Amino acid sequence: MARKRDIVKKFSSLINFLVKLSKILPSGFYLRLLKLVRNHDNYIAMLVRYICLKNCAKSCGDNVAIFSNVYFYRLHNLEIGDNVSIHPMCYVDASGGVSIGDDVSIAHSSTILSEEHIYLDLERNIKDQGCEFRETIIENNVWIGAGSRILGGSKVCSGSIVAAGAVVKNKVESNTIVGGIPAKKIKERKRV
């Protein structure tokens, strides 16, 4: 990742110019462009995805790396901070709002949701009862391990690690490591 950061730093003036220039086109153009470059795996495609996020997301910070095959749903409800990386094959459903803080790394094949099915009426099919929007928050300095699932309404507090394959529902306290299905506290992170 250090190499990518060096490239971003070296070309930051050009990147900022391209982002400013890109504001002349409507967001619908960038939504289509994002789909077009979704599968491409090179630095140019990463730059294009970044520009698309800057134009379509509710907010998008600096130095955001979106790798190939990341799928976004309802991108206009996504807030993303600085120094964030979302690795290949992730799915982010921001229907109910998703907020990702600064310095967050989301490993490959992870899912972040912000809505849930309503299933209270036993007389109706679950699929016919609709969905409930539930904002999902990932605070600063969080590592989401490979294949993790962050369910709607969850909050992952600063300094936390979600172990690979974990399913998070509800709150992960600050500076803790959680794992399992459902995710439970494994241990607390301590200062060295």
Side-chain angles (χ1 to χ4, degrees):
M1 201 49 136
R3 183 167 181 241
K4 186 228 168 241
R5 285 192 179 147
D6 292 340
I7 291 171
V8 169
K9 189 175 181 179
K10 182 177 179 182
F11 293 105
S12 63
S13 297
L14 176 61
I15 292 168
N16 291 334
F17 173 75
L18 291 172
V19 167
K20 286 179 183 171
L21 184 64
S22 71
K23 300 292 183 189
I24 63 173
L25 295 171
S27 63
F29 169 81
Y30 292 104
L31 289 172
R32 287 188 290 281
L33 183 59
L34 186 60
K35 288 178 184 176
L36 187 66
V37 299
R38 179 181 291 145
N39 300 327
H40 297 276
D41 191 20
N42 57 54
Y43 288 126
I44 300 296
M46 287 180 75
L47 173 61
V48 170
R49 287 190 288 268
Y50 174 67
I51 290 171
C52 290
L53 248 67
K54 283 290 219 183
N55 284 284
C56 297
K58 189 173 186 179
S59 66
C60 178
D62 295 327
N63 194 25
V64 174
I66 306 299
F67 289 83
S68 60
N69 297 304
V70 173
Y71 287 79
F72 294 104
Y73 185 67
R74 302 282 168 93
L75 188 54
H76 62 279
N77 292 327
L78 174 65
E79 297 175 83
I80 191 164
D82 297 329
N83 305 314
V84 173
S85 60
I86 303 178
H87 292 263
M89 300 177 292
C90 288
Y91 178 78
V92 180
D93 176 349
S95 295
V98 170
S99 176
I100 300 171
D102 299 335
D103 304 303
V104 173
S105 180
I106 301 170
H108 67 280
S109 300
S110 294
T111 300
I112 301 170
L113 302 174
S114 62
E115 67 178 314
E116 287 188 341
H117 282 282
I118 298 170
Y119 54 87
L120 299 175
D121 187 348
L122 296 177
E123 302 301 316
R124 294 174 55 203
N125 292 328
I126 295 168
K127 67 178 184 154
D128 297 330
Q129 294 184 47
C131 291
E132 172 186 17
F133 295 136
R134 305 189 70 214
E135 183 182 23
T136 299
I137 299 169
I138 299 170
E139 293 183 344
N140 301 332
N141 187 29
V142 170
W143 175 20
I144 308 290
S148 297
R149 306 292 179 248
I150 312 297
L151 302 182
S154 297
K155 182 175 184 178
V156 182
C157 295
S158 294
S160 298
I161 298 171
V162 176
V167 176
V168 174
K169 178 150 178 78
N170 300 317
K171 185 175 182 180
V172 175
E173 297 295 331
S174 293
N175 299 314
T176 59
I177 301 172
V178 298
I181 304 171
K184 292 183 177 9
K185 182 177 174 180
I186 296 172
K187 70 179 185 177
E188 195 169 317
R189 295 182 62 219
K190 307 271 187 203
R191 292 199 187 275
V192 207

